[in-house]
Amino acid sequence: MEPRIVQFFMKASSEIVLPKPSRFRLRPIRLAEFSFLIFLAVAMGLPLLFLLTGSFNLAAPGKPALYGFDNWSRAFTDAGTLNALGMSFLLSVVRLIPAIILSVIFAWLIARTDMPGGKFIESLCWIAYFVPDFPLVLAWILLLDPNFGFLNALAKNLPFVDGALFNPYSFWGIVWVHTSTGGIWFKVMLLVPVFRRLGATLEEAARVAGANAATMLWRITLPVLAPMILAVSVLSFIRGLQSFNTELLLGTPAGIYVYSTKIYDYLQHEPRAYGEATALGSVFLVVLGLLLFFYWKYLRGDKKFTVVSGQGYSTLKVKLGRWRYAALGGCLLYIAVMMLLPLTFLVIGSFMRRYGFFHIAAPFTLNHWRAMLSDPIFLVALKNSLIIASITAAGGILLYSALAYLLVSRRTICAPLLESLCWIPHVLPGILLSLGVLWLFLATPLRFIFYGSVWGIACALILADSPVTTQAFKAGLLQLGADLEESARVSGASWAYTYRRILLPLLAPIAAAVGLMNFGGALTNISTPVLLYSHQSRPLAILLMEYSFTGELERAAALGLLMTLIVGAMMLVGRKLGLKLAGSD
Amino acid sequence: MRFNSTWKINWLLPALVFVMVGITDVSAQTKASDKEWAAIVDAAKKEGKVVVAGSPDPVMRNDVIPKFTARYGIPVEFIAGRSSEITGRVKTERAAGIYSVDVFLAGPDTTAAVLYGEKLIDPLKPVLVMPEVADGAKWKHGKIWFADPEERFVVRPFSSVATMLFINADNVKPDEMRSAKDLLNPKWRGKISAEDPNAIGSGSNAAARFYHDLGEEFVRKLYVEQKTVRTRERRQMTDWLARGTQPICLNCREDDVRPLIKDGFKLVEIFELVDMPPSINGSPWLLSLANKAPNPKAAQLFANWILAKEGLEAYARGYGSATLRADIDESFLNPANLPKKNVKYFDDTDWKWVVSGRQEYREKVWQVLKTGK
């Protein structure tokens, strides 16, 4: 057990004061529950309701509402829609399976084994996650293009290769590039803290019973960590269904269209066809409903996921023996191929007059960095982004750790409703979420605070972060035994004191992870602030969008790298802070 | 009552002159006096800022806004984004009673369908009073070109001859691309790139034009049989063109290609094909003024200034488009971009074509692409 927590219990055991019985003990919990319910219903439910109602409105803009099903039938009778939906499912499943397996192995090796350099590998995963994907996809094109790709040119020197070996403009090309841009990094970031929290007691018992490392992983570790692995799988699957940029760059030339492209197309109409886009977006709601049903069904019953209790806790790691360096080599090789290789091209690209054109005269320049740093908008946008990201990270931790606590406390009467509401932002395409939040802000008297300000953008991003943050805290809390809290309460500690001295230190690594993830996400998220920013509150992500939109790709690459550097610096600070709070630094 | 000749001279002639002057005044712009103009500038300065919505254009950010602010000391708040995003946002704001934008610089589809179609804009004609703007002699057509049917709301300040396609001369000889039908040569199968004609944008606009001029069969052959490579990313097309992977590009942009030409790439712009009339367009934007603008005088000042020599020339130089002003030295332009007298052009920004014709042909193109037959 953590040293500070042991000290607390030693002190508490000598000064046990039984609390006075009270009829109203549960009132604060109930109050919190209903407050959350109202908040989530307004913040998450209302935008969805606005969108769904709007999708049935057939009237021309500015005309009185006229309701019907035409938008829905038009959206779903389009011949390409079902094909695109099928392709999205196929791509999402094909990407998810290897990515989940690899990320579980990575997280296990980092957190539960004596593989050397685990923290270094974890840091590389963090950095990889925040590298902007658009220039990275272009880097893969430079590497894999059948006509001019660097790797294809190398492969042609092999005696048995005739023609292009790789082709990014294909189904498997898309899968490959996705594995590089978003495949395992996000999952490793969420899984490592819960793997770390896993006590070694069960594994030691298995070892005594003669199980080897693989058996322990399969029979002990995975079942105990099932809530987080399932949550990450659901998050990733839906994220995969909504994936869009990579498919747009690599799929369109090959005639591969995905479902999100169809939604995007409706949003490009003049005027925008929000009705049809919402109708198509509703499929994500149905998929989420099904996945959540099975998720809850799995977690229900007498299953226990507790790994941290007041009855002894060991964090001894699994010994890999001679395989430890092989494991490290495997991790490094994967990261080198999937991230460092394209990242190198991205860094070089930001210093090139034209990204990927090495044969022009004087191909290298500092102009893009110079122009970006001297752009008068840049400093304002940087300041806005740092404020927005900080509010988003802190707000998300405070709000969703409390919500997750309510969800796992088993004392709430409407947990499924609360949880369903907090999943909504994950199933709404970003631009539709932005529109819903815009309607919400404009409909409240607080619009003068929220609309067009950094506060409004931060609030919208906090809402958008609710599924990931809540699920991460929930999985962390499910690992904690109820006896920790009960002992503290029996010892006379208030809920706030227990939360601060017991739960928060144990949750600190998860808080640091999701806080950093939300910080980085707030820096790079484009679709959420796109309808909410004003001239004064323009963040870096919008500047990045403007550079990309106008074809200033090299400047976009420079800005993307700078944003990655900021996240990298915050990661170092955040990890220190997380470990310090956890009392293990 | 008897009308004698003296009466005619004394009353009828002056009345006739008055009516004639009145008619002339209706079509001409009213010029503000120096005093009136100074009052507009003062009022604009008091408002303190002007909010302009438009495409995220480096020319706007780097050249135009600094020039305007340097001239009048009024900051420009530039809301940049895709037209459809901006108008979606503006409409939502207005539904909540918020009016945040003063001036729109938008493409023809957005301007016609949303800004004008949904009455989000005010007449621009009465407020264009800056002497060098209101003076018809300063414009190539003898007056400001209002693009909307009422000729009051939307100003078109640009008109350039549009590039029909681009070729990489290392791979395609200009002689091999004389007519649109040359695109159907089996030699070019898989060698042509286009912005995805399935989506709203320049790809479907060009396809609609092909359908309009050359018919369904041509569109089917070009986009289906020739295996034209489609993309949604304009940079990708330009790179393919420069590398020669797809040495024929239907929808590359001049401002993307010209820096490559300067770098020595043998990229050729083709402005005319024998079987299609050349076209002109109003790119990069049409100007309109938001109704209930929060800073009406600053909006008026900006609208006048952007149509004056200083504003329009700054934009034209940065973007490489021909303006309709007569007093701008256009030697910086490719001569082929300047519309010639006595040539009949297809006007891709023509209001009627934008509002109905193009959409009708787009639908036909999509049908062809769906069936592939």
Side-chain angles (χ1 to χ4, degrees):
Chain A
M1 195 187 304
E2 314 288 353
R4 284 164 56 184
I5 300 168
V6 173
Q7 283 166 17
F8 171 80
F9 279 112
M10 286 174 67
K11 187 182 168 205
S13 60
S14 61
E15 303 169 9
I16 292 174
V17 181
L18 288 174
K20 288 178 187 171
S22 164
R23 290 189 295 150
F24 305 108
R25 275 187 66 78
L26 290 181
R27 270 202 167 171
I29 284 273
R30 193 68 64 231
L31 187 66
E33 183 183 0
F34 286 122
S35 303
F36 264 112
L37 194 60
I38 292 167
F39 168 74
L40 293 178
V42 171
M44 318 280 188
L46 263 187
L48 180 67
L49 195 67
F50 285 148
L51 288 167
L52 286 175
T53 312
S55 73
F56 292 103
N57 185 3
L58 310 176
K63 300 278 189 273
L66 173 70
Y67 292 99
F69 291 93
D70 289 20
N71 292 335
W72 285 65
S73 62
R74 193 162 37 247
F76 285 106
T77 51
D78 186 320
T81 300
L82 283 181
N83 289 340
L85 185 61
M87 180 55 74
S88 284
F89 267 95
L90 191 61
L91 273 170
S92 204
V93 170
V94 170
R95 282 158 44 193
L96 181 67
I97 295 167
I100 279 286
I101 293 170
L102 277 170
S103 46
V104 165
I105 292 172
F106 261 68
W108 180 71
L109 287 171
I110 291 168
R112 298 296 314 133
T113 72
D114 62 346
M115 180 183 77
K119 282 183 183 166
F120 175 65
I121 298 289
E122 189 190 358
S123 302
L124 289 179
C125 290
W126 274 85
I127 291 170
Y129 177 67
F130 289 110
V131 177
D133 62 351
F134 178 71
L136 211 57
V137 177
L138 291 170
W140 275 115
I141 290 174
L142 291 180
L143 285 162
L144 301 180
D145 190 281
N147 296 294
F148 55 80
F150 182 70
L151 293 180
N152 274 321
L154 283 182
K156 274 178 189 163
N157 295 323
L158 298 171
F160 51 87
V161 174
D162 184 26
L165 197 60
F166 308 107
N167 182 8
Y169 311 109
S170 64
F171 180 87
W172 292 108
I174 294 171
V175 171
W176 176 267
V177 172
H178 263 299
T179 310
S180 161
T181 54
I184 73 160
W185 323 120
F186 162 76
K187 301 173 189 70
V188 171
M189 286 157 71
L190 285 174
L191 288 174
V192 165
V194 289
F195 268 81
R196 281 218 173 94
R197 199 46 65 217
L198 180 68
T201 319
L202 292 171
E203 289 173 337
E204 281 164 14
R207 196 182 298 124
V208 169
N212 61 21
T215 310
M216 278 191 284
L217 175 65
W218 181 247
R219 301 287 300 273
I220 305 291
T221 312
L222 292 184
V224 170
L225 297 180
M228 191 55 168
I229 295 171
L230 283 176
V232 168
S233 303
V234 172
L235 286 164
S236 302
F237 184 74
I238 292 173
R239 187 174 279 202
L241 281 184
Q242 295 185 346
S243 174
F244 168 64
N245 276 332
T246 306
E247 286 77 358
L248 210 60
L249 275 171
L250 303 179
T252 313
I256 296 172
Y257 291 94
V258 292
Y259 196 61
S260 296
T261 316
K262 289 279 166 193
I263 295 178
Y264 174 81
D265 284 348
Y266 279 118
L267 293 172
Q268 297 310 302
H269 282 212
E270 287 288 4
R272 285 186 159 200
Y274 285 120
E276 287 87 339
T278 306
L280 291 185
S282 66
V283 166
F284 298 135
L285 275 174
V286 176
V287 173
L288 176 74
L290 284 172
L291 290 175
L292 284 187
F293 172 75
F294 290 114
Y295 175 62
W296 287 328
K297 204 172 167 188
Y298 180 81
L299 296 189
R300 221 168 37 197
D302 58 352
K303 289 192 185 71
K304 294 262 188 302
F305 304 100
T306 306
V307 293
V308 183
S309 72
Q311 300 167 355
Y313 180 70
S314 161
T315 54
L316 274 179
K317 292 186 170 180
V318 176
K319 293 194 187 316
L320 293 176
R322 60 192 169 145
W323 289 105
R324 57 205 292 263
Y325 289 104
L328 174 65
C331 289
L332 286 175
L333 182 67
Y334 182 87
I335 291 172
V337 172
M338 300 309 276
M339 179 48 58
L340 295 183
L341 188 62
L343 186 63
T344 307
F345 270 74
L346 175 58
V347 174
I348 295 171
S350 74
F351 291 102
M352 295 190 75
R353 279 205 299 126
R354 191 169 181 90
Y355 196 102
F357 282 71
F358 293 94
H359 56 290
I360 57 176
F364 295 102
T365 178
L366 287 172
N367 280 350
H368 307 300
W369 283 88
R370 207 176 286 137
M372 179 190 74
L373 295 171
S374 62
D375 189 335
I377 299 170
F378 170 74
L379 279 181
V380 180
L382 176 64
K383 186 181 126 202
N384 288 336
S385 276
L386 290 176
I387 295 171
I388 290 167
S390 303
I391 299 171
T392 306
I397 289 171
L398 288 175
L399 194 66
Y400 299 122
S401 63
L403 175 62
Y405 177 81
L406 273 176
L407 291 176
V408 300
S409 70
R410 293 178 188 268
R411 281 180 282 175
T412 51
I413 51 176
C414 44
L417 182 58
L418 278 173
E419 190 156 358
S420 304
L421 284 169
C422 82
W423 273 96
I424 286 175
H426 206 64
V427 289
L428 285 179
I431 187 74
L432 289 182
L433 175 70
S434 187
L435 180 73
V437 173
L438 176 63
W439 284 342
L440 182 70
F441 284 171
L442 293 177
T444 68
L446 290 172
R447 71 186 191 195
F448 296 107
I449 299 171
F450 286 129
Y451 185 55
S453 71
V454 289
W455 291 98
I457 296 172
C459 281
L461 287 166
I462 290 172
L463 296 182
D465 289 336
S466 75
V468 178
T469 317
T470 309
Q471 291 309 314
F473 276 117
K474 192 182 148 191
L477 283 161
L478 279 171
Q479 294 183 307
L480 305 183
D483 54 338
L484 294 172
E485 221 184 321
E486 282 158 11
S487 305
R489 198 172 299 130
V490 166
S491 306
S494 65
W495 180 85
Y497 189 78
T498 310
Y499 185 83
R500 186 163 59 84
R501 295 296 302 274
I502 307 291
L503 298 179
L504 197 57
L506 288 169
L507 289 176
I510 292 172
V514 291
L516 280 172
M517 195 181 283
N518 293 348
F519 184 93
L523 276 186
T524 53
N525 187 319
I526 293 173
S527 58
T528 305
V530 74
L531 296 181
L532 303 171
Y533 81 96
S534 66
H535 182 75
Q536 288 85 3
S537 61
R538 178 194 271 114
L540 283 179
I542 295 295
L543 200 58
L544 185 71
M545 178 200 76
E546 292 176 10
Y547 290 156
S548 303
F549 186 79
T550 52
E552 297 171 278
L553 194 58
E554 297 77 13
R555 215 194 278 197
L559 182 54
L561 282 170
L562 187 82
M563 289 158 79
T564 309
L565 286 175
I566 294 170
V567 177
M570 285 308 296
M571 187 187 69
L572 292 176
V573 175
R575 279 178 58 85
K576 281 274 177 205
L577 189 69
L579 291 173
K580 198 176 170 185
L581 282 173
S584 57
D585 191 16
Chain B
M1 188 179 177
R2 286 188 62 194
F3 297 97
N4 60 31
S5 58
T6 312
W7 187 91
K8 280 180 191 169
I9 292 166
N10 288 346
W11 288 97
L12 199 56
L13 275 180
L16 194 62
V17 169
F18 179 79
V19 168
M20 291 300 289
V21 169
I23 289 168
T24 312
D25 274 347
V26 166
S27 62
Q29 295 294 135
T30 311
K31 288 182 202 170
S33 65
D34 288 348
K35 197 177 165 188
E36 285 166 338
W37 182 247
I40 291 168
V41 174
D42 283 346
K45 284 180 178 171
K46 276 184 192 145
E47 286 172 349
K49 68 174 182 183
V50 58
V51 183
V52 180
S55 168
D57 193 330
V59 180
M60 186 71 185
R61 209 169 44 222
N62 302 331
D63 302 331
V64 176
I65 291 175
K67 274 200 166 74
F68 177 78
T69 305
R71 168 73 60 197
Y72 296 108
I74 299 172
V76 177
E77 292 192 356
F78 187 46
I79 304 292
R82 292 177 198 278
S83 295
S84 54
E85 266 163 22
I86 289 177
T87 50
R89 173 180 167 157
V90 165
K91 284 194 292 182
T92 310
E93 285 179 347
R94 285 173 172 230
I98 293 176
Y99 294 83
S100 65
V101 175
D102 295 308
V103 178
F104 292 107
L105 305 178
D109 287 280
T110 304
T111 305
V114 184
L115 299 178
Y116 179 82
E118 297 182 27
K119 298 184 171 54
L120 304 184
I121 52 178
D122 261 348
L124 189 51
K125 190 168 184 173
V127 301
L128 295 178
V129 294
M130 190 179 186
E132 68 162 300
V133 174
D135 183 358
K138 302 287 184 190
W139 295 91
K140 287 177 183 170
H141 291 186
K143 61 177 183 178
I144 301 170
W145 185 348
F146 286 91
D148 60 289
E150 296 175 62
E151 298 189 17
R152 290 194 307 145
F153 286 86
V154 178
V155 169
R156 172 176 174 173
F158 298 96
S159 199
S160 307
V161 178
T163 313
M164 301 197 95
L165 53 99
F166 296 83
I167 57 170
N168 185 330
D170 281 337
N171 308 81
V172 184
K173 293 183 181 68
D175 285 348
E176 292 179 289
M177 209 48 67
R178 292 282 182 206
S179 76
K181 292 201 171 59
D182 289 335
L183 290 164
L184 305 183
N185 186 335
K187 188 178 172 183
W188 309 127
R189 186 163 296 164
K191 295 291 175 190
I192 304 168
S193 73
E195 189 174 304
D196 191 355
N198 283 301
I200 301 270
S202 66
S204 58
N205 291 352
R209 174 80 201 287
F210 281 130
Y211 198 114
H212 173 267
D213 284 17
L214 301 166
E216 178 183 336
E217 188 60 11
F218 181 84
V219 168
R220 191 184 59 76
K221 284 182 175 167
L222 177 60
Y223 289 97
V224 182
E225 284 185 11
Q226 283 295 73
K227 299 188 187 305
T228 294
V229 181
R230 305 165 193 177
T231 177
R232 303 281 181 103
E233 174 56 42
R234 71 190 232 201
R235 179 64 181 262
Q236 219 168 5
M237 282 186 297
T238 320
D239 283 0
W240 288 338
L241 176 71
R243 291 182 190 282
T245 321
Q246 272 76 35
I248 302 167
C249 180
L250 301 181
N251 307 112
C252 284
R253 283 175 51 151
E254 292 94 333
D255 50 330
D256 288 342
V257 173
R258 283 171 190 162
L260 287 165
I261 295 173
K262 278 186 191 163
D263 268 333
F265 286 89
K266 290 180 188 164
L267 308 182
V268 178
E269 297 179 57
I270 299 202
F271 291 91
E272 290 179 27
L273 297 169
V274 292
D275 44 1
M276 281 179 80
S279 66
I280 52 171
N281 66 38
S283 184
W285 42 257
L286 302 175
L287 172 73
S288 57
L289 214 56
N291 51 26
K292 299 187 182 173
N295 308 292
K297 288 295 172 191
Q300 182 180 9
L301 179 63
F302 184 85
N304 277 278
W305 178 82
I306 196 86
L307 293 178
K309 185 170 185 279
E310 184 182 25
L312 213 51
E313 187 169 4
Y315 220 111
R317 282 184 180 276
Y319 200 82
S321 284
T323 76
L324 286 165
R325 281 195 72 94
D327 55 354
I328 291 176
D329 171 18
E330 291 175 319
S331 57
F332 63 90
L333 283 171
N334 180 343
N337 276 125
L338 291 167
K340 296 177 187 72
K341 284 176 185 167
N342 307 322
V343 174
K344 193 168 168 29
Y345 291 99
F346 178 90
D347 187 356
D348 205 43
T349 309
D350 174 71
W351 197 267
K352 200 173 162 192
W353 169 246
V354 170
V355 168
S356 54
R358 184 148 71 196
Q359 186 55 31
E360 181 192 328
Y361 283 98
R362 263 191 205 138
E363 301 277 355
K364 289 179 179 176
V365 168
W366 289 337
Q367 201 54 41
V368 171
L369 296 176
K370 265 179 203 165
T371 56
K373 294 173 189 171

